[in-house]
Amino acid sequence: MDDAREFPRQYARTRRFALGAPSRFTVSADGERVLFLRTGGGGADPVSALWLYEDGAERVLVDVSRTARAGDVPAAERVRRERARESAVGLVSYSADAECRTVVYALSGALWAVRVADGVPFPVSAAGPVVDPRLSPDGRSVAYVTGGALYVVTLDGEDRLLAAPEGPDITYGLTDHASSESMGRARGHWWAPDGGALLAARVDTSRVQRWYLSDPADPSAPPRAVRYPAAGTANADVSLHLLRLDGSRAEVDWDRGAFEYVPVAGWDAHGPFAAVQSRDQRTLRTLAVDPSTGATRVLDEQRDAAWVELVPGAPCRTASGALVTTRDEQDTRRLVVAGKPVTPVGLQVRQVLGVQGESVLFEGGDEPTETHVWTWAPDAGCVRLTDTPGVHTAVSVGGTTVLVSRREDRTTVEVTRKGEPVGEIASLAERPVVPTRPVHLRLGERELRSQLFLPSWHTPGSGTLPVLVNPYGGQHLLVATRGLGWPAHLSQWFAEQGFAVLVTDGRGSPGRGPAWEKEIRGDILTHALDDQVAAVQAAGAEFPDLDLTRVAIRGWSFGGFLAAGAVLRRPDVFHAAVAGAPPTDQRLYDTHWKERYLGHPDEEPENYERCSLIADAPLLRRPLLLVHGLADDNVAVAHTLRLSAALLAAGRSHQVLPLPGATHMVTQVDVAENLLLFQLDFLKKSLGL
């Protein structure tokens, strides 16, 4: 039990055990060098450094000063980091040439470069505070954004302006909110392979409504104005432009009225390309772009009655130019090469990791609790590269593969060369002081993938345990997997405090096929809540020690929404709830994410009414704790405030815990530590423990 009391501090200071773990791997074209980021020793150092793995050994390339903090960087870069949910500070992103011999990065707004051969960083002059520097494949020039303008500078300081914003609401070379938050496109400019031109996004946010985010704990600080495209409102106007270093340019031509989203763009050996999507997300087109004129032709079109899923890494092209995409058919998300499905029915493709020659590296599996790395090649078909139960991913270039495997006992990063192990990249992340002991289950008629965490000191039959349901329960994220991460460690800690903790992935979660994912179209709450109820009842029937008269639920983000919905709509099952950063009013979340599942609010308003919690406030009969960061720019604190106001108007007692200065991810060590203890105290008191 002493270790159990130490866990909240460890959990907080290690940023949920992320610090010390290697990440952001880049492999050189010849496979000889691997670049990666990692924070310092002990697992609690938040300052990230750039490392090189070569000839079986690691060495640090760039170790920045500990004075580098998030507040020292330009506003645009701070926003990018917040959206990326960065756990570390210091050097948190970088760009390398194809051979990984030169690396560039931004630090506190300044542009820096380092050559791998000597490992001596040197400054590169820039026109202003630098955001998202990208090194050309030949290593000669750096593209970067400052003040919304896109520049290119050579490493010896010859700077040139490629595109200047035509107004205060226009940027070149950056992404937009919907693309970054909901589509996974964090970039806004891409080099041509020969380094002679760039494909760049132009983003005009003038028609996007303005929100003002402030922290009431600091009334002297002015509010921060952001352009936020809430459901049903105008999106940013995103266009693509071909910008050549000789100063000429051309706009990429497609029907932007019908296809306003740009989830993917890039430039490979076959030319520029992009994927564009309709506002209703039911049509996705892949376009080839003429590098001279900007004219486009359709390479592929997908349609779906619910929505076309955006699969990370797709589309892309093989060395011969064969288009790699995915397609949903026979309740399977299949890999498609040159228009033909190449993976078998039942193998759910989760991500395309890259191509080498004509072979494709991808993530997938037939069991949602595991994700494996596969290759497909014309001569060999599909070959699975990983065998151990867990969650695996990889980066592979030039015959070298960096394989990241998250298993129940540990996480490893193995380096292989032509299929043979050649070494490992060390993780300095701390191991949790509380060993994790999940029981993996399939519960109920739907065989809901679940995990049950029991106290290490509990003997079956010795007494009953109150139940804590601890899900995410929403889209695009699995928590009941064989690759145990911080959610499992947190669940075990709650178990050590005297709970039986149940974690369940229900309908809408990935890995069980398109029908399972898309059954929630039009109602993101009812199915999710029904599955949690079914899991509780099935677990109680299988494990008599679970006391179903004392059931609490806690969650964050969608999990917080689910927790609040649980005590409002199913008080017969759930007797207390902690709801962190819950999106309670569905109209207050962004267009692409929310309209994917609920449609346009002007066309399907009943879906938003069905899934919003404000009108349910009079139903509250159970203890409810609402927690929200006052600086949250993902789920605005307005969600919690509106629900609290409705609860107060209905005369329903509840608690609200505001977190000054906290965004969607709470990183302040003392706050994160004591937030766990506060929740534990609330849950115990609410269940009469």
Side-chain angles (χ1 to χ4, degrees), residues 39-353:
T39 58
D45 184 350
V47 182
S48 184
L50 177 66
W51 292 77
L52 171 70
Y53 178 90
E54 186 177 24
D55 297 329
E58 303 173 6
R59 65 181 171 95
V60 65
L61 279 180
V62 181
D63 189 2
V64 302
S65 167
R66 290 176 180 269
T67 60
R69 290 294 183 266
D72 299 327
V73 301
E77 177 67 5
R78 290 201 302 273
V79 171
R80 186 199 67 77
R81 292 186 184 187
E82 288 171 5
R83 291 177 179 173
R85 313 289 180 256
E86 301 283 5
S87 296
V89 295
L91 202 163
V92 297
S93 64
Y94 66 93
S95 175
D97 64 335
E99 296 296 335
C100 290
R101 297 192 182 278
T102 304
V103 183
V104 297
Y105 56 95
L107 188 64
S108 300
L111 179 59
W112 290 82
V114 61
R115 301 192 193 280
V116 170
D118 59 28
V120 179
F122 58 93
V124 180
S125 65
V130 170
V131 176
D132 198 19
R134 298 282 174 174
L135 188 61
S136 61
D138 59 12
R140 296 178 179 177
S141 303
V142 185
Y144 67 93
V145 179
T146 186
L150 183 62
Y151 284 80
V152 169
V153 61
T154 61
L155 293 183
D156 59 8
E158 182 183 344
D159 212 355
R160 73 186 77 180
L161 173 65
L162 282 191
E166 296 86 356
D169 298 312
I170 296 173
T171 61
Y172 280 91
L174 297 178
T175 189
D176 60 288
H177 179 96
S179 296
S180 175
E181 285 287 327
S182 301
M183 302 180 220
R185 179 172 65 78
R187 295 184 57 179
H189 60 278
W190 303 265
W191 277 102
D194 65 1
L198 288 119
L199 177 67
R202 178 184 183 273
V203 177
D204 182 351
T205 60
S206 58
R207 65 185 185 184
V208 181
Q209 66 179 0
R210 183 181 280 112
W211 280 10
Y212 298 92
L213 304 180
S214 62
D215 190 342
D218 184 5
S220 66
R224 177 163 64 94
V226 298
R227 296 287 189 174
Y228 191 92
T233 68
N235 281 305
D237 179 14
V238 179
S239 56
L240 295 174
H241 298 257
L242 297 161
L243 306 174
R244 303 176 189 88
L245 299 193
D246 64 10
S248 60
R249 60 186 291 175
E251 183 174 350
V252 178
D253 182 26
W254 80 92
D255 185 354
R256 292 185 15 238
F259 296 90
E260 63 183 82
Y261 291 127
V262 185
V264 180
W267 199 325
D268 60 17
H270 306 285
F273 64 92
V276 296
Q277 192 177 40
S278 57
R279 174 74 181 246
D280 64 11
Q281 302 182 50
R282 290 170 173 162
T283 306
L284 178 72
R285 284 181 178 174
T286 300
L287 307 175
V289 179
D290 186 308
S292 300
T293 66
T296 59
R297 59 186 176 90
V298 178
L299 297 177
D300 180 71
E301 181 172 291
Q302 298 181 52
R303 295 178 179 270
D304 191 277
W307 70 82
V308 177
E309 185 69 17
L310 301 177
V311 176
C316 58
R317 289 182 282 200
T318 68
S320 68
L323 184 67
V324 179
T325 59
T326 62
R327 182 187 305 163
D328 291 354
E329 59 181 26
Q330 296 179 269
D331 199 23
T332 303
R333 183 153 298 133
R334 304 179 72 180
L335 186 72
V336 176
V337 180
K340 296 181 179 180
V342 298
T343 49
V345 172
L347 173 55
Q348 307 292 347
V349 174
R350 302 283 295 279
Q351 181 173 353
V352 177
L353 299 171

Side-chain angles (χ1 to χ4, degrees), residues 643-656:
L643 178 57
S644 177
L647 290 168
L648 184 61
R652 301 304 174 192
S653 178
H654 64 287
Q655 295 184 45
V656 178

Side-chain angles (χ1 to χ4, degrees), residues 222-545:
R224 177 163 64 94
V226 298
R227 296 287 189 174
Y228 191 92
T233 68
N235 281 305
D237 179 14
V238 179
S239 56
L240 295 174
H241 298 257
L242 297 161
L243 306 174
R244 303 176 189 88
L245 299 193
D246 64 10
S248 60
R249 60 186 291 175
E251 183 174 350
V252 178
D253 182 26
W254 80 92
D255 185 354
R256 292 185 15 238
F259 296 90
E260 63 183 82
Y261 291 127
V262 185
V264 180
W267 199 325
D268 60 17
H270 306 285
F273 64 92
V276 296
Q277 192 177 40
S278 57
R279 174 74 181 246
D280 64 11
Q281 302 182 50
R282 290 170 173 162
T283 306
L284 178 72
R285 284 181 178 174
T286 300
L287 307 175
V289 179
D290 186 308
S292 300
T293 66
T296 59
R297 59 186 176 90
V298 178
L299 297 177
D300 180 71
E301 181 172 291
Q302 298 181 52
R303 295 178 179 270
D304 191 277
W307 70 82
V308 177
E309 185 69 17
L310 301 177
V311 176
C316 58
R317 289 182 282 200
T318 68
S320 68
L323 184 67
V324 179
T325 59
T326 62
R327 182 187 305 163
D328 291 354
E329 59 181 26
Q330 296 179 269
D331 199 23
T332 303
R333 183 153 298 133
R334 304 179 72 180
L335 186 72
V336 176
V337 180
K340 296 181 179 180
V342 298
T343 49
V345 172
L347 173 55
Q348 307 292 347
V349 174
R350 302 283 295 279
Q351 181 173 353
V352 177
L353 299 171
V355 295
Q356 291 190 76
E358 297 307 308
S359 68
V360 183
L361 190 73
F362 65 96
E363 291 178 13
D366 56 6
E367 166 54 45
T369 61
E370 300 182 23
T371 303
H372 289 278
V373 177
W374 298 71
T375 61
W376 174 86
D379 55 346
C382 290
V383 178
R384 197 168 97 171
L385 302 184
T386 52
D387 296 311
T388 306
V391 175
H392 306 268
T393 189
V395 178
S396 187
V397 179
T400 293
T401 299
V402 179
L403 180 64
V404 183
S405 299
R406 198 173 78 238
R407 302 188 290 267
E408 290 194 4
D409 57 343
R410 61 186 181 129
T411 297
T412 60
V413 181
E414 182 182 28
V415 182
T416 66
R417 181 71 172 160
K418 297 181 180 179
E420 297 296 324
V422 297
E424 287 193 5
I425 294 174
S427 174
L428 305 179
E430 289 189 16
R431 295 179 69 87
V433 295
V434 178
T436 307
R437 309 167 60 251
V439 179
H440 298 279
L441 304 169
R442 295 189 181 191
L443 296 175
E445 295 181 357
R446 286 188 286 274
E447 295 189 330
L448 298 164
R449 284 9 180 223
S450 303
Q451 292 171 337
L452 181 64
F453 298 83
L454 298 173
S456 60
W457 43 265
H458 177 73
T459 302
S462 62
T464 60
L465 296 168
V467 179
L468 174 61
V469 179
N470 192 29
Y472 176 74
Q475 308 82 43
H476 285 260
L477 181 63
L478 293 167
V479 288
T481 73
R482 294 280 180 173
L484 300 183
W486 67 265
H489 303 319
L490 186 58
S491 291
Q492 186 67 57
W493 177 75
F494 274 109
E496 297 300 333
Q497 312 314 304
F499 294 92
V501 181
L502 184 64
V503 178
T504 299
D505 292 320
R507 280 170 287 180
S509 59
R512 288 191 66 171
W516 179 267
E517 294 178 14
K518 296 176 182 180
E519 190 173 347
I520 64 170
R521 175 63 170 81
D523 190 343
I524 59 173
L525 180 56
T526 302
H527 298 309
L529 186 52
D530 286 349
D531 287 344
Q532 298 300 319
V533 170
V536 168
Q537 294 171 342
E542 187 171 343
F543 297 89
D545 286 356

